[in-house]
């Protein structure tokens, strides 16, 4: 063992040879206006600003998720409501409120790389895509495209405060434009979550005596599932993980269509929903055991 090593076999650090008082004096003699300290203070300010922005985006994403879920719950009343147009109009008002939250997100991301904050806003965007695509399906019986979603997320507004305070310069003010583009991964994850809502729509429509909607939903979900199978394991991990849930929703809808086709005439219409809910519970139990 060399003389530089202590009894425990560890080398002494160089500053251990200096007394504590001398090290305290060195800290006191640090010049706060030195270029090195100035650089670290700027780094600290930049990191704190970025962290605060990330937290604000997380809060906005949480608000977007909550409002989108409320819109989805409202759209499920479309089948049982006496006036479905009122439900659609109310859902449009709620989605406009969600877009105003997304506009705040777009303003926060001006001059920033969106992918650095993507994890903060992704859950809210996925829930918004699920709500928008659900409303679009109820209206058109088709799937909304990512281009159509991005068109709805282009915001243009004028600075009203400045125009009211300085009316002479109102002609010089140009409208501000903010936009937020949905990534393909967020779009796919939102569409995958949509299949669960369509499965619930199938069961509720049968309970209301609608026999045609389950077969229409079965074909639509089959097309979505075929599209996801083309991606397979080559896509992101989250997409392949959602594929299992999508397959479950498709199986439940196909099972409902099978029951309607084979035993639809034997079961009274007011009991069909109970039969389907029991069968879906059995399917969930079998998948849990397997």
């Amino acid at each position: 063992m060399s003389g530089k090593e202590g009894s425990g076999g560890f080398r002494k650090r160089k500053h251990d040879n200096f007394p504590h008082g001398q090290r305290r004096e060195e800290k006191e003699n640090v010049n706060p206006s030195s270029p090195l300290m100035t650089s670290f203070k700027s780094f600290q300010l930049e990191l704190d600003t970025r962290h605060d922005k990330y937290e604000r985006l997380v809060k906005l994403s949480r608000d977007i998720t909550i409002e989108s879920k409320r819109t989805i719950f409202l759209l499920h009343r479309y089948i049982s409501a006496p006036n479905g147009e009122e439900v659609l109009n109310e859902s449009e008002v709620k989605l406009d409120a969600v877009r105003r939250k997304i506009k705040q997100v777009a303003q926060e991301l001006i001059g920033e790389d969106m992918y650095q904050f993507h994890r903060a806003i992704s859950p809210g965007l996925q829930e918004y895509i699920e709500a928008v695509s659900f409303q679009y399906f109820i209206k058109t019986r088709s799937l909304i495209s990512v281009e159509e979603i991005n068109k709805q997320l282009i915001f243009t507004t004028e600075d009203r405060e400045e125009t009211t305070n300085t009316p002479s310069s109102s002609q010089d003010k140009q409208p501000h434009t903010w936009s937020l583009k949905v990534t393909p991964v967020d779009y796919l994850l939102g569409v995958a979550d949509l299949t669960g809502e369509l499965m619930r729509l199938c069961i509720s429509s049968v309970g209301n005596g609608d026999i045609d909607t389950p077969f229409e939903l079965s074909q639509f979900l089959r097309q979505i599932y075929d599209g996801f199978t083309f991606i397979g394991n080559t896509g992101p991990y989250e997409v392949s993980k959602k594929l299992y849930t999508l397959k479950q929703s498709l199986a439940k809808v196909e099972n409902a269509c099978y029951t309607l086709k084979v035993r639809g005439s034997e079961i009274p219409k007011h009991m069909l929903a109970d039969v389907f809910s029991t069968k879906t519970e059995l399917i969930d139990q079998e998948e849990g055991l397997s």
Side-chain angles (χ1 to χ4, degrees):
M1 184 181 297
S2 62
K4 294 182 180 180
E5 298 180 1
S7 59
F10 297 98
R11 291 185 179 181
K12 289 185 177 180
R13 293 172 291 184
K14 291 183 179 181
H15 60 75
D16 288 342
N17 296 325
F18 296 95
H20 293 283
Q22 184 176 354
R23 281 186 285 169
R24 190 179 300 110
E25 291 177 359
E26 291 178 356
K27 292 182 180 179
E28 293 176 354
N29 293 331
V30 173
N31 185 10
S33 61
S34 64
L36 182 63
M37 294 299 296
T38 305
S39 298
F40 272 96
K41 285 181 180 179
S42 65
F43 297 154
Q44 178 187 5
L45 180 61
E46 182 180 353
L47 290 174
D48 289 343
T49 304
R50 188 173 296 273
H51 177 74
D52 293 341
K53 179 173 290 191
Y54 190 92
E55 292 300 322
R56 290 196 300 270
L57 290 174
V58 169
K59 184 178 182 302
L60 286 172
S61 177
R62 193 179 299 118
D63 295 339
I64 292 171
T65 301
I66 293 172
E67 292 300 324
S68 299
K69 285 183 180 293
R70 290 173 179 171
T71 305
I72 292 172
F73 295 153
L74 173 66
L75 288 171
H76 276 293
R77 292 166 41 197
Y78 174 78
I79 295 178
S80 58
N83 190 354
E85 289 297 327
E86 292 183 0
V87 175
L88 292 177
N89 293 333
E90 187 177 352
S91 67
E92 190 63 34
V93 173
K94 287 183 175 294
L95 288 178
D96 286 338
V98 175
R99 293 187 189 100
R100 286 195 291 270
K101 293 287 185 181
I102 297 178
K103 176 184 174 181
Q104 298 180 24
V105 174
Q107 292 173 343
E108 290 282 353
L109 293 177
I110 293 177
E112 300 284 353
D113 184 5
M114 189 192 75
Y115 290 96
Q116 292 184 356
F117 302 93
H118 184 253
R119 292 187 63 182
I121 63 176
S122 180
L125 290 179
Q126 293 176 29
E127 200 70 30
Y128 168 74
I129 293 168
E130 181 181 357
V132 169
S133 57
F134 190 35
Q135 184 201 52
Y136 190 85
F137 176 81
I138 291 176
K139 288 181 177 180
T140 64
R141 298 296 178 178
S142 60
L143 181 64
I144 190 171
S145 63
V146 65
E147 291 81 11
E148 186 66 27
I149 294 177
N150 286 329
K151 285 181 182 178
Q152 298 175 1
L153 300 183
I154 298 176
F155 312 101
T156 303
T157 183
E158 295 182 359
D159 196 344
R160 296 179 181 178
E161 294 182 359
E162 294 184 2
T163 54
T164 53
N165 294 333
T166 58
S168 60
S169 62
S170 60
Q171 296 179 355
D172 300 332
K173 298 296 180 182
Q174 298 294 330
H176 300 283
T177 302
W178 297 277
S179 63
L180 184 67
K181 287 189 176 181
V182 173
T183 62
V185 175
D186 288 335
Y187 174 74
L188 290 175
L189 294 176
V191 171
D193 292 334
L194 169 67
T195 58
E197 304 304 329
L198 295 180
M199 182 269 295
R200 297 180 184 91
L201 180 66
C202 171
I203 303 301
S204 60
S205 63
V206 172
N208 292 325
D210 187 0
I211 308 300
D212 298 328
T213 299
F215 295 95
E216 185 179 358
L217 289 173
S218 176
Q219 295 179 359
F220 184 73
L221 289 176
R222 172 57 66 179
Q223 293 175 358
I224 294 179
Y225 179 76
D226 292 341
F228 271 84
T229 52
F230 283 117
I231 300 174
N233 295 327
T234 60
Y237 171 72
E238 294 85 357
V239 175
S240 59
K241 188 177 179 181
K242 294 278 187 180
L243 186 61
Y244 177 73
T245 306
L246 197 160
K247 187 177 181 180
Q248 282 183 318
S249 301
L250 176 61
K252 293 174 183 177
V253 173
E254 288 181 341
N255 181 72
C257 294
Y258 171 79
T259 305
L260 284 174
K261 199 71 174 177
V262 177
R263 300 187 57 195
S265 59
E266 302 175 3
I267 305 173
K269 289 186 177 181
H270 66 277
M271 295 179 60
L272 286 174
D274 296 333
V275 172
F276 292 151
S277 60
T278 304
K279 285 183 174 293
T280 52
E281 291 177 359
L282 292 176
I283 292 175
D284 292 337
Q285 293 177 1
E286 291 176 357
E287 290 175 347
L289 293 175
S290 60

